[in-house]
Amino acid sequence: MLELSIGTWRVTIRRTVPQTTDLARMYDAAAWLWHPILGLLGYSRAYARLFAELASDGWLGCLRDGAKVLDGGIGTGAFSMALTKTIPNALEIHGMDIAPRMLARARDNLRRSGLTAQLRYGNVDCLPYAEGDFDMVMSAHMLEHSTNPSETVREMARVLRAGAPLLIVTTRADRISALHGLRWRYRSVESQQLRQWMYQAGLCDVRCYALDGGLSLPGPLSEAYIGRKITGGRAIASHPKEINT
């Protein structure tokens, strides 16, 4: 809910949850220009810097040749492309999205980058994969659209193998994000709430990373959370280094 004061008037704007078909139409309409706009706004650069920092801190050591990675809400493929530029190993990329035109653009963008991916139309709330199927699951600016984000986090964690990382990039819960959310019909997730959902989904060592976009939009608008799936009731060895929280 957003409240604005204009003189003696107080205006309240309350969010209504959009249907999946509404979101798909909205993003399909933006699909043609989405990828170049992300580049102009600095998201591609910020994603690449994020993955470089995660690799340096030991989070991506599980991504050897043939490792399976799921990009939930893949959009036009920017997040996956940034990962593959950081990790030289041959990864098996899987992607899901509710917007068909976004998926088509992702396929074209990945192919032009020399990458192949298995892309599916569908909702991350109900993944068509077996438990423990992936070596990493990640999503960028998808969770804010979920009608039940805690269950979405749990579902992404379900398909992770034990010890594998879950990476979620979200918009910060502040006034800037609230205004931006009016256009793209999303609801920001509070930091403490997201951490709680990740722990409840069976993750440990949850950490927060700022997106380094320089003076561009990702810096003040977005942040990333990563945790490792617990095995046997406890975290496995090879913990990443302590970083900023």
Side-chain angles (χ1 to χ4, degrees):
M1 185 174 67
L2 179 66
E3 291 189 353
L4 302 174
S5 295
I6 306 173
T8 59
W9 290 82
R10 181 177 295 275
V11 179
T12 300
I13 303 173
R14 188 182 300 273
R15 177 182 184 266
T16 58
V17 178
Q19 299 296 314
T20 299
T21 53
D22 296 331
L23 290 174
R25 281 195 296 267
M26 179 179 68
Y27 279 100
D28 272 343
W32 181 251
L33 292 176
W34 192 260
H35 202 72
I37 288 175
L38 285 182
L40 288 173
L41 293 177
Y43 279 94
S44 298
R45 182 171 62 254
Y47 291 159
R49 290 176 177 174
L50 171 64
F51 283 121
E53 190 173 3
L54 292 176
S56 176
D57 286 342
W59 285 101
L60 307 183
C62 56
L63 299 183
R64 301 178 177 87
D65 281 345
K68 294 178 65 175
V69 177
L70 173 63
D71 188 345
I74 193 171
T76 56
F79 208 34
S80 288
M81 290 169 66
L83 173 64
T84 57
K85 288 178 181 177
T86 304
I87 302 298
N89 300 330
L91 304 177
E92 183 179 323
I93 301 294
H94 294 249
M96 286 194 69
D97 206 283
I98 61 171
R101 291 180 185 174
M102 285 289 211
L103 284 172
R105 294 293 289 167
R107 182 173 290 106
D108 291 343
N109 291 332
L110 291 165
R111 185 181 296 121
R112 279 194 293 269
S113 296
L115 304 170
T116 57
Q118 299 184 38
L119 304 181
R120 290 174 178 257
Y121 169 79
N123 200 314
V124 180
D125 292 348
C126 185
L127 294 170
Y129 304 106
E131 184 174 342
D133 207 12
F134 289 93
D135 299 291
M136 181 177 182
V137 176
M138 61 186 195
S139 74
H141 302 107
M142 177 277 297
L143 190 65
E144 300 92 317
H145 289 298
S146 174
T147 57
N148 193 342
S150 63
E151 288 303 313
T152 301
V153 172
R154 192 180 299 275
E155 179 68 353
M156 289 191 288
R158 179 186 67 81
V159 300
L160 274 176
R161 68 167 178 79
L166 171 62
L167 172 63
I168 300 174
V169 175
T170 66
T171 50
R172 298 176 186 271
D174 56 25
R175 292 183 179 180
I176 296 176
S177 176
L179 292 172
H180 194 252
L182 293 177
R183 168 62 182 90
W184 295 105
R185 304 186 69 182
Y186 67 77
R187 178 178 57 191
S188 298
V189 179
E190 295 285 348
S191 173
Q192 184 176 355
Q193 182 68 81
L194 179 53
R195 289 173 185 268
Q196 181 180 355
W197 290 337
M198 293 178 76
Y199 283 122
Q200 290 173 344
L203 300 168
C204 64
D205 299 329
V206 176
R207 300 288 186 267
C208 176
Y209 284 77
L211 259 68
D212 182 8
L215 299 177
S216 59
L217 190 60
L221 195 62
S222 304
E223 55 194 3
Y225 293 82
I226 190 168
R228 196 182 301 278
K229 188 173 182 178
I230 295 172
T231 179
R234 60 178 182 175
I236 67 169
S238 186
H239 296 292
K241 298 184 294 186
E242 285 293 324
I243 53 91
N244 58 301
T245 57

